[in-house]
Amino acid sequence: MKLRHLTFRLLEVYVSVVRHGSISEAARQLHLTQPTVSLQLKRLSEAVGEPLLEHTRGQLHLTDAGQVLYRACQDMLGRFDDLQDNLLELKGGHSGRFSIAMVNTAQYVMPRLLGPFSQDYPEVDVTVEIGNREQVLHRFHQQLDDIYIFSHPPSLEHAAAARFLRNPLIMIAAEEHPLAGADEISLPRLLEERFLLREPGSATRMLFDSWLQTRGLQLHRSLQMASNEAIRVGVAAGMGVAVVSQHVLPKGLTGIVPLQVEGMPLESHWHFIVRRDRRLPYAARRFLIHADDHLESCLDPAYVCHETRQLLAQLGIS
Amino acid sequence: MKLRHLTFRLLEVYVSVVRHGSISEAARQLHLTQPTVSLQLKRLSEAVGEPLLEHTRGQLHLTDAGQVLYRACQDMLGRFDDLQDNLLELKGGHSGRFSIAMVNTAQYVMPRLLGPFSQDYPEVDVTVEIGNREQVLHRFHQQLDDIYIFSHPPSLEHAAAARFLRNPLIMIAAEEHPLAGADEISLPRLLEERFLLREPGSATRMLFDSWLQTRGLQLHRSLQMASNEAIRVGVAAGMGVAVVSQHVLPKGLTGIVPLQVEGMPLESHWHFIVRRDRRLPYAARRFLIHADDHLESCLDPAYVCHETRQLLAQLGIS
DNA sequence: GTAATATATAGATAATTATCTATGGAGATT
DNA sequence: AATCTCCATAGATAATTATCTATATATTAC
């Protein structure tokens, strides 16, 4: 294989095709025509001297050589990104950029970490993507971001996770609700109420469903709502009860109270998740380090946990 | 800095200049003219947007940017070298992966080939799929695997086959069976017995059925069973006789004896089957070569046959 | 002061890369 | 069977890269 026949452009195009699983889709993303991308792949394959891709029933697959090349491309392109960051640092201070995707509820938590970080590193550009669980999972699979925030992380191939904050789930009702002042409400009694909850697949719902299942119970009366905000408004209006992350209740909120239910709050944790198979940009690493160093000062110290350094060590980052 | 303005050639030239400490010397080493190298450095510097080198009293020094770039160049060029090594390993079949699907009975045979191969090539990942004949055929049509093992290969479009081991089919009965000690049992006599057999479509049954048909005969009393294990247990219990692959009878098995029947054992062979219309991974090629080279040492030499090299030659692989 | 060596710039050319449009074949969908 | 989508190939063009020779300038050695 001739080094001079390999260009960074070819590597970029290749990585895009693999990531999108389609030559046509990669062409659209790169603003090239489909024959251009097809020809670039051909040139790359010729430079390597091996087939890189194969189509089986319309599905794009990497050959072994294609897999090996893909990893090498990611490493080289990632090293170029590092180089750029290093050069920017030389020019003046710390800069760079990274992207972070989080489930809806995390938007109540993450600004307390991102805010101080942006103050300490004003030149770093942070892109924040917020969505429901399914949307964030999709972004994870498409490798669109550098860091992912889940409260109940799925079991993901290529994922490395670190808990950083407890995320207790509590039961809430309106102040005037019959169960509002009761002690130790039993689960059978509770399940007589109507439950307001998010779409299937949301972490809170999944955790609550599985918790009920371990007790041989399940919900009878429920109403699905599209956002936590809608749930809060509905609970306050007496439409029912709900399990929510304690984070979504601002301090001083009136009209809503937590219920005393056996076995609650449910313990879950906020996690930082990164892909093992993808290079973590300098700025993202810096953020994770900064976050780990400032958990106590930015969040309630009783709720924090420090696994982020382990995560970075796992990735070979110190 | 524009990625596309950076080429591997520029990186090579730069590393050479730094290493030799002189543009003229690097030019000599690279078999280029001095103005060429000077211009390449200029283009690189322009691409980076920073001076990279400075001359102090005739001595070449790297600027900070030059230092940062030098390290990045070494990493990227080093990663290219690794890539080449990886590709060479793949081509030699020393690493990579392949998938092999086999009919149930083959699991008594194939470990004796796969085990030594995995010991000799620990870096190769082998996926083994086991199923009945229909399932393996389905996988063949879906192009899910690289190698298929059948004892009685179907006539398949796009298939190339090579026999590697005789697979004699014998008639068995319980030790106490009336025919157990008889010489040269006639077929009419034999067909008075109840036959335990697998589902329609299994190789053994197909072969036996077609063998009977060539003699103008057919089964009268039969009992279908779901596995060879169940057949063996049934035979030992005196439920009837059965045609089985000799392989499924472990040495030293008691309670079951082969019957002396005219025309038996039936000759069949284990086959390696690959798709002509699909590229065979290097690791799979390496396995077939290794298997062909080790048939005598891994299996009973009296039963092996060497057609695998012909198969590979047919596929244009030497 | 002169010669030798190293480096930068100018002008030029060949080779290569990157991209387009046009079009045909294959497979999937309707 | 017709249509749509995806991919590969052909032909073409623009842009860029890589290299040359010629030559000027600066520095060092003698």
Side-chain angles (χ1 to χ4, degrees):
Chain A
M1 173 163 71
K2 278 276 192 191
L3 182 70
R4 73 175 61 203
H5 291 339
L6 216 59
T7 69
F8 285 100
R9 185 55 169 168
L10 288 184
L11 306 188
E12 279 190 313
V13 167
Y14 179 62
V15 164
S16 185
V17 170
V18 173
R19 195 166 279 162
H20 293 98
S22 152
I23 289 169
S24 298
E25 184 54 34
R28 282 188 282 275
Q29 296 297 320
L30 295 168
H31 303 107
L32 298 173
T33 64
Q34 174 268 323
T36 296
V37 175
S38 182
L39 196 60
Q40 296 288 61
L41 288 183
K42 185 180 180 190
R43 282 186 52 221
L44 184 56
S45 178
E46 281 164 358
V48 168
E50 299 280 337
L52 302 173
L53 304 166
E54 55 195 8
H55 302 270
T56 304
R57 296 191 309 284
Q59 282 285 12
L60 194 80
H61 292 284
L62 296 181
T63 62
D64 288 337
Q67 194 70 248
V68 154
L69 177 67
Y70 181 56
R71 279 196 286 270
C73 289
Q74 286 189 305
D75 289 345
M76 294 190 230
L77 293 173
R79 193 59 187 88
F80 174 81
D81 289 339
D82 285 347
L83 172 62
Q84 280 197 296
D85 289 344
N86 290 345
L87 291 170
L88 282 170
E89 267 192 69
L90 282 182
K91 273 181 164 178
H94 301 285
S95 57
R97 65 194 160 268
F98 70 96
S99 175
I100 184 166
M102 63 186 74
V103 291
N104 287 304
T105 323
Q107 66 186 310
Y108 299 97
V109 177
M110 290 307 295
R112 296 193 233 163
L113 293 173
L114 287 166
F117 176 76
S118 285
Q119 284 177 11
D120 291 347
Y121 296 93
E123 296 91 8
V124 174
D125 283 329
V126 185
T127 305
V128 175
E129 302 286 342
I130 301 175
N132 66 25
R133 184 181 178 80
E134 186 185 333
Q135 288 165 327
V136 178
L137 273 172
H138 180 75
R139 292 188 68 91
F140 178 89
H141 289 300
Q142 292 282 63
Q143 307 179 41
L144 295 178
D145 304 285
D146 302 303
I147 301 175
Y148 302 85
I149 312 294
F150 287 96
S151 64
H152 188 62
S155 179
L156 293 166
E157 197 172 9
H158 309 305
R163 299 180 298 180
F164 67 91
L165 186 73
R166 287 170 55 215
N167 177 30
L169 305 182
I170 58 175
M171 189 74 57
I172 55 170
E175 275 182 332
E176 299 82 18
H177 196 279
L179 297 174
D183 291 330
E184 279 306 294
I185 301 158
S186 72
L187 279 173
R189 172 63 188 89
L190 181 73
L191 293 175
E192 292 172 22
E193 302 296 323
R194 178 201 283 133
F195 279 73
L196 311 187
L197 32 73
R198 295 294 305 281
E199 72 278 2
S202 75
T204 309
R205 179 166 177 171
M206 283 170 59
L207 199 64
F208 185 56
D209 281 346
S210 72
W211 181 70
L212 286 180
Q213 278 179 356
T214 63
R215 285 160 173 72
L217 299 167
Q218 71 180 43
L219 292 176
H220 304 302
R221 303 168 59 213
S222 60
L223 188 68
Q224 183 169 316
M225 294 181 129
S227 70
N228 288 316
E229 195 62 23
I231 286 179
R232 214 164 66 207
V233 170
V235 166
M239 290 171 68
V241 300
V243 179
V244 298
S245 168
Q246 192 168 337
H247 298 301
V248 309
L249 299 184
K251 293 188 194 299
L253 182 75
T254 58
I256 286 180
V257 296
L259 297 183
Q260 306 297 324
V261 180
E262 56 168 309
M264 299 200 88
L266 300 184
E267 284 299 310
S268 75
H269 290 79
W270 288 111
H271 294 70
F272 291 130
I273 296 183
V274 301
R275 290 190 67 110
R276 295 180 185 279
D277 60 344
R278 197 170 131 86
R279 180 195 143 272
L280 196 61
Y282 253 63
R285 301 177 200 182
R286 204 176 291 127
F287 166 71
L288 291 174
I289 291 168
H290 185 278
D292 196 61
D293 288 344
H294 293 77
L295 287 174
E296 275 78 12
S297 54
C298 297
L299 304 170
D300 190 332
Y303 285 71
V304 310
C305 47
H306 289 276
E307 294 185 356
T308 307
R309 293 285 183 173
Q310 285 171 11
L311 171 61
L312 294 170
Q314 257 188 63
L315 301 175
I317 296 164
S318 57
Chain B
M1 173 166 69
K2 276 275 189 193
L3 180 73
R4 74 174 62 203
H5 290 340
L6 213 62
T7 71
F8 285 101
R9 184 58 169 169
L10 290 184
L11 305 189
E12 279 192 312
V13 168
Y14 180 63
V15 163
S16 185
V17 169
V18 172
R19 199 166 275 161
H20 292 99
S22 151
I23 291 172
S24 297
E25 184 52 34
R28 281 189 282 276
Q29 294 300 319
L30 295 168
H31 301 104
L32 296 173
T33 63
Q34 175 269 323
T36 296
V37 175
S38 182
L39 194 63
Q40 297 286 62
L41 288 182
K42 183 180 182 187
R43 284 184 52 222
L44 185 55
S45 178
E46 282 164 358
V48 168
E50 300 274 340
L52 303 173
L53 304 168
E54 55 197 8
H55 302 271
T56 305
R57 293 190 305 284
Q59 284 285 16
L60 194 80
H61 292 283
L62 295 180
T63 63
D64 286 341
Q67 195 68 248
V68 151
L69 178 64
Y70 181 56
R71 278 195 289 271
C73 289
Q74 287 187 304
D75 290 345
M76 294 191 228
L77 294 173
R79 192 59 185 89
F80 174 81
D81 291 338
D82 288 345
L83 173 61
Q84 282 197 297
D85 291 343
N86 292 343
L87 291 170
L88 280 173
E89 269 187 37
L90 278 181
K91 263 195 153 186
H94 288 55
S95 64
R97 62 184 181 272
F98 70 95
S99 175
I100 184 166
M102 62 187 74
V103 292
N104 287 302
T105 322
Q107 67 185 307
Y108 298 99
V109 178
M110 289 307 296
R112 297 192 233 164
L113 294 174
L114 287 165
F117 175 75
S118 284
Q119 282 178 13
D120 292 347
Y121 296 93
E123 301 297 315
V124 174
D125 282 332
V126 186
T127 304
V128 176
E129 302 288 342
I130 301 176
N132 65 25
R133 185 180 179 79
E134 186 185 334
Q135 287 165 330
V136 177
L137 273 171
H138 179 75
R139 292 189 69 90
F140 179 91
H141 289 300
Q142 292 283 61
Q143 305 181 43
L144 295 179
D145 304 284
D146 301 302
I147 301 174
Y148 302 85
I149 312 294
F150 288 95
S151 66
H152 187 62
S155 178
L156 293 165
E157 197 172 10
H158 308 306
R163 299 179 299 178
F164 66 92
L165 186 72
R166 286 170 56 213
N167 177 29
L169 307 181
I170 59 175
M171 189 72 58
I172 57 170
E175 275 182 333
E176 300 80 21
H177 194 279
L179 298 175
D183 291 332
E184 278 306 293
I185 301 158
S186 73
L187 280 173
R189 174 62 188 87
L190 181 73
L191 292 175
E192 292 172 19
E193 302 296 324
R194 176 200 283 135
F195 278 74
L196 311 186
L197 31 71
R198 294 293 305 280
E199 71 278 5
S202 75
T204 310
R205 180 164 174 171
M206 284 172 56
L207 199 65
F208 186 56
D209 282 346
S210 72
W211 181 70
L212 286 181
Q213 276 178 1
T214 63
R215 285 163 173 70
L217 299 167
Q218 71 179 45
L219 291 177
H220 304 303
R221 300 168 62 210
S222 61
L223 188 68
Q224 182 169 316
M225 294 181 130
S227 70
N228 289 316
E229 195 62 24
I231 286 179
R232 215 163 67 205
V233 171
V235 166
M239 291 170 68
V241 300
V243 179
V244 298
S245 167
Q246 193 169 336
H247 298 302
V248 309
L249 299 183
K251 294 187 192 300
L253 181 73
T254 59
I256 284 180
V257 296
L259 298 181
Q260 307 297 325
V261 180
E262 58 166 308
M264 298 200 86
L266 301 182
E267 284 298 309
S268 74
H269 290 81
W270 288 110
H271 293 70
F272 291 130
I273 295 182
V274 301
R275 289 190 66 111
R276 294 178 185 282
D277 60 345
R278 207 173 122 88
R279 182 183 158 274
L280 196 62
Y282 290 108
R285 301 178 199 191
R286 171 62 52 189
F287 166 72
L288 292 175
I289 292 168
H290 185 278
D292 197 61
D293 289 343
H294 292 78
L295 288 174
E296 276 78 12
S297 54
C298 297
L299 305 170
D300 189 334
Y303 286 72
V304 309
C305 49
H306 290 276
E307 293 186 355
T308 308
R309 293 285 184 173
Q310 284 170 12
L311 170 61
L312 293 171
Q314 257 186 62
L315 300 174
I317 296 163
S318 56

